[in-house]
Amino acid sequence: MDLQFSDRVVLVVGGTGFIGSAVVDRLRAEGATVVVASRNASADGVALDASDEDSVRRGVDEVLERHGRIDGLVVTAAPPAQTLDPARSSDPEQILSAVDGKALSFLRVARAVIPAMRDAGFGRIVAISGQNAYISGNITAVVRNASTILIAKNLADELAGTGVAVNVINPGLVTETPSAEVAPGRGGESSPDQIADLVAFLTSPRSAVDGESIAIGHRMLGTTLL
């Protein structure tokens, strides 16, 4: 299937990371012009710190100056789950920091690209959250992921009918060699390449999906979610 990425520009925030680098490779293989945004920009990328409003504005403005458009945005940037201290799961300071580093970072970048997308009448925005949003057991992990999902849904509703779609992908454990087994109370495993395949579709003109929160891998075994 031709995903129609010819002449499309996609900004990938966190594009040097474990998931982000796979997304970048997949989008480029599909023919998209991909701009990698990270705190330390490569020669063909842009410097962008998603935790800083001014840095976000400068980075997005630079992409628009270079390419004249942003058709897609993928935000994979967030502090790894391993950096969260389980002993501080209910610590308000850790929760606030985690929400800022993931959910609000996504919101900052999305808000910065939306005006250009609205003007163009087309845009695709994808956030990477996580299946931890579905279960209790770690307040920090739940809140930062659930906040990302809720922000994305609200943005999607605000933009309904404009041609700009917003969706979220929720992995469980991400590994190069995902197991087919799914443990009770856990989400299915997925690989960066599997996530990248889904991102590529959702950011393409072929996709009419909007306002969705999509689990990749088996969605949390043993739970019922409405």
Side-chain angles (χ1 to χ4, degrees):
M1 177 188 292
D2 178 9
L3 293 181
Q4 301 176 347
F5 275 111
S6 178
D7 300 322
R8 300 288 180 176
V9 176
V10 183
L11 175 63
V12 180
V13 180
T16 60
F18 186 47
I19 296 173
S21 58
V23 169
V24 168
D25 290 345
R26 183 72 169 88
L27 291 172
R28 284 178 173 162
E30 289 293 334
T33 297
V34 181
V35 181
V36 177
S38 59
R39 292 186 178 184
N40 301 303
S42 61
D44 58 347
V46 295
L48 190 154
D49 179 354
S51 68
D52 182 273
E53 190 83 31
D54 290 338
S55 176
V56 169
R57 292 290 178 187
R58 288 194 299 270
V60 169
D61 286 347
E62 184 175 341
V63 177
L64 291 171
E65 288 171 9
R66 283 191 203 173
H67 300 283
R69 60 195 295 165
I70 298 176
D71 301 290
L73 168 68
V74 184
V75 181
T76 71
Q82 294 85 348
T83 64
L84 304 176
D85 183 355
R88 298 178 60 210
S89 167
S90 61
D91 181 344
E93 293 302 320
Q94 177 170 267
I95 295 168
L96 285 170
S97 176
V99 170
D100 186 73
K102 188 164 194 172
L104 296 184
S105 289
F106 164 66
L107 179 59
R108 289 184 191 99
V109 186
R111 278 168 43 87
V113 303
I114 283 170
M117 289 181 173
R118 288 188 70 128
D119 289 347
F122 177 87
R124 298 288 184 267
I125 298 173
V126 177
I128 307 297
S129 185
Q131 292 198 44
N132 280 344
Y134 305 150
I135 55 172
S136 62
N138 186 312
I139 294 175
T140 301
V142 171
V143 171
R144 78 169 188 160
N145 286 314
S147 298
T148 304
I149 294 168
L150 292 171
I151 286 169
K153 173 56 174 166
N154 277 272
L155 288 177
D157 287 357
E158 290 176 14
L159 294 166
T162 67
V164 182
V166 185
N167 294 289
V168 182
I169 296 173
N170 298 309
L173 179 67
V174 181
T175 172
E176 293 286 5
T177 55
S179 171
E181 300 296 321
V182 184
R186 298 288 299 273
E189 298 181 2
S190 57
S191 70
D193 286 341
Q194 289 168 338
I195 295 169
D197 288 344
L198 181 53
V199 168
F201 175 72
L202 291 175
T203 52
S204 77
R206 290 282 192 183
S207 174
V209 179
D210 189 17
E212 288 295 332
S213 173
I214 304 169
I216 185 165
H218 187 90
R219 182 166 178 164
M220 202 60 62
L221 181 63
T223 64
T224 300
L225 298 161
L226 301 178

